Amino acid sequence: METVSAPTTVSPERLSSPRQLAAASVGNLVEWYDWYAYSFLATYFATQVFPKGEGGLTSLLDAFAVFAVGFFMRPVGGLLMGAVADRLGRKAALTLTILLMGAGSLLVAVLPTYAQVGVLSPVLLVVARLVQGLSVGGEFAASTTFLVESAPPHRRGFFSSFQYVSTTIGQLLASGLAAVLASTLSDDAMSSWGWRVPFAVGALLSLVGLLIRRGARETLADADDLRSGRVRRPGLLDALRHHPRQSLLIVGITVAGTIAYYTWTTYLPTYANTYAGVPKGTALWVGTVALVFFMVLNPLMGMLSDRVGRRPLLLTFAAAFVLLTVPGLALLDDGAGRLLLVQGTGMVFLAMYTSIAAAVNAEVFPARVRASGIGFPYSLSVALFGGTAPYVGTALKDAGHGTLFPWYLSALCLVSLVVYAVALRETAHRPLPA
């Protein structure tokens, strides 16, 4: 069979920018809505799905262990769904990821309880989380590639920023709906059926996202030739095998961003409560305000990077977290004011990374292996350094060395600072690698 030229991407001028942005963003929003809904609602469904242990904590610990299992499926999802995007087209991968997430949410929504089916209940929950972890890992690879390939050359940073804008909206929707249900329903109602509602909503949102994505344009110009075999499809590990330096570069780029992101957006309320005595409710409200501020900052930072370049923002971000994390966290007291100051200041610097992470990653790899090249090393870095941040902080606290956590964060940010300074070239004003 005749083999034609290697895959290229469609010219952004042929794409409808608002439609492409909506297609990528809605799926990412749904993915992260469902992902965070689990963590917010675990305290309610844990005793329904797992057998109760002494003290009532065993079931909750089991629920969070299943959450961690889903996290470590993300590298697999990044590799497999990235390969789908490179072999069959970006739209095929985006369709598959949102279908998987919807299926996982629906399974949780209708999950039988332990009292009804015994051990089958937690087994089905594990299956649902494995499916969702696979989906979330693949979503970043596919939507990152799709977003950046859809952007005009001078707006890739701006388009890139919607990766985390949509992630933040999904997180806020999940926390908001959980809060509304918890405040309007009794504890018994929440534990018996209320916790199912957000997962059912997530399944419905997946269908909406699927309909929006059907109207998007494919960004891989040779997708039809790849599917028919007229162009040789890249192998599953081609990106790692032929581009090892770029794969390691993605890890170096991501280490600081992922631990800073999960610390500042997810773990900081718990840290402030544990170490500074900030009431839990106050810490959560401050975190919500900071998330809204963070969401607004991302497009602004993305546009700034399109003017001044990616490296100045990345260098500023990493240097700030290296130098300011330890004294910043030491400033916390039992009031909301300092927490808002520390978290808000961190969000300014964090947005310098999150707004352009998608663009920087996509600008590293050629089109042929762009999605799979991003997916695996990025998701592996998130699983190893970002997803474990709360666990590392808690483990250090339990061992009596809790004050070491800010130093741990600073050290990892120093790794990325060196990468940005030494190994990363400026890509903002260059064409995407063909």
Side-chain angles (χ1 to χ4, degrees):
M1 184 174 292
E2 183 181 0
T3 301
V4 296
S5 59
T8 58
T9 55
V10 175
S11 170
E13 286 74 16
R14 293 175 52 194
L15 304 172
S16 171
S17 296
R19 183 171 59 190
Q20 299 293 103
L21 268 178
S25 299
V26 70
N28 201 45
L29 183 156
V30 172
E31 300 277 353
W32 287 99
Y33 164 88
D34 286 334
W35 189 255
Y36 281 110
Y38 184 101
S39 61
F40 293 138
L41 296 164
T43 55
Y44 293 104
F45 67 75
T47 55
Q48 300 290 307
V49 178
F50 297 94
K52 294 181 181 179
E54 293 183 8
L57 286 177
T58 301
S59 56
L60 183 58
L61 291 172
D62 289 340
F64 280 117
V66 174
F67 182 79
V69 168
F71 234 109
F72 281 92
M73 278 299 291
R74 290 176 59 171
V76 179
L79 182 63
L80 295 181
M81 295 299 108
V84 170
D86 288 335
R87 292 166 65 88
L88 302 178
R90 316 311 189 203
K91 277 189 66 177
L94 290 172
T95 298
L96 184 55
T97 57
I98 202 166
L99 282 173
L100 288 172
M101 181 57 76
S105 291
L106 183 60
L107 179 55
V108 177
V110 300
L111 194 70
T113 66
Y114 188 86
Q116 292 171 328
V117 297
V119 73
L120 182 61
S121 181
V123 168
L124 289 174
L125 182 63
V126 169
V127 171
R129 293 308 294 172
L130 290 175
V131 168
Q132 289 186 319
L134 192 75
S135 175
V136 170
E139 175 68 19
F140 184 88
S143 63
T144 288
T145 305
F146 182 82
L147 263 177
V148 178
E149 290 177 351
S150 296
H154 61 287
R155 301 188 76 195
R156 292 200 299 262
F158 175 70
F159 270 55
S160 168
S161 68
F162 282 85
Q163 187 82 33
Y164 278 89
V165 168
S166 55
T167 295
T168 306
I169 293 174
Q171 184 174 358
L172 289 170
L173 285 176
S175 63
L177 181 54
V180 168
L181 289 170
S183 62
T184 56
L185 298 176
S186 66
D187 285 345
D188 287 342
M190 276 296 294
S191 296
S192 62
W193 61 269
W195 62 269
R196 299 179 185 273
V197 174
F199 294 105
V201 171
L204 291 175
L205 287 175
S206 296
L207 291 178
V208 174
L210 180 63
L211 291 174
I212 293 174
R213 284 186 165 179
R214 288 184 62 185
R217 292 283 300 273
E218 176 61 63
T219 60
L220 189 63
D222 296 81
D224 290 339
D225 290 330
L226 281 163
R227 286 192 289 268
S228 67
R230 289 191 296 271
V231 169
R232 187 184 71 81
R233 297 173 182 173
L236 184 64
L237 300 177
D238 273 8
L240 291 172
R241 185 162 50 242
H242 300 302
H243 303 278
R245 178 187 176 277
Q246 289 91 330
S247 299
L248 287 173
L249 185 60
I250 295 294
V251 174
I253 290 169
T254 306
V255 167
T258 189
I259 190 169
Y261 175 78
Y262 280 98
T263 299
W264 246 251
T265 66
T266 304
Y267 180 55
L268 194 56
T270 300
Y271 183 92
N273 171 256
T274 302
Y275 290 94
V278 180
K280 289 181 180 180
T282 301
L284 289 173
W285 274 113
V286 169
T288 300
V289 172
L291 277 175
V292 174
F293 177 55
F294 173 67
M295 181 177 64
V296 173
L297 282 173
N298 270 271
L300 301 177
M301 293 297 182
M303 288 189 287
L304 179 62
S305 81
D306 286 329
R307 294 180 63 87
V308 305
R310 319 288 189 228
R311 290 182 78 245
L313 269 68
L314 290 175
L315 288 167
T316 303
F317 148 71
F321 273 90
V322 169
L323 298 174
L324 301 180
T325 296
V326 174
L329 293 181
L331 277 177
L332 295 175
D333 58 18
D334 60 359
R338 288 195 180 184
L339 176 58
L340 183 60
L341 174 64
V342 170
Q343 193 161 14
T345 302
M347 291 300 195
V348 173
F349 294 110
L350 179 61
M352 294 181 183
Y353 165 81
T354 56
S355 62
I356 59 175
V360 173
N361 288 338
E363 289 162 352
V364 167
F365 282 97
R368 177 176 175 79
V369 293
R370 181 168 292 137
S372 56
I374 294 170
F376 180 71
Y378 172 85
S379 296
L380 182 64
S381 302
V382 171
L384 291 177
F385 301 106
T388 59
Y391 301 101
V392 171
T394 302
L396 288 173
K397 171 68 173 177
D398 288 344
H401 304 294
T403 55
L404 292 180
F405 180 74
W407 292 97
Y408 168 74
L409 196 158
S410 293
L412 289 180
C413 289
L414 180 60
V415 172
S416 287
L417 178 61
V418 173
V419 172
Y420 302 152
V422 175
L424 185 66
R425 67 175 186 172
E426 182 58 68
T427 55
H429 306 118
R430 298 172 180 262
L432 280 175

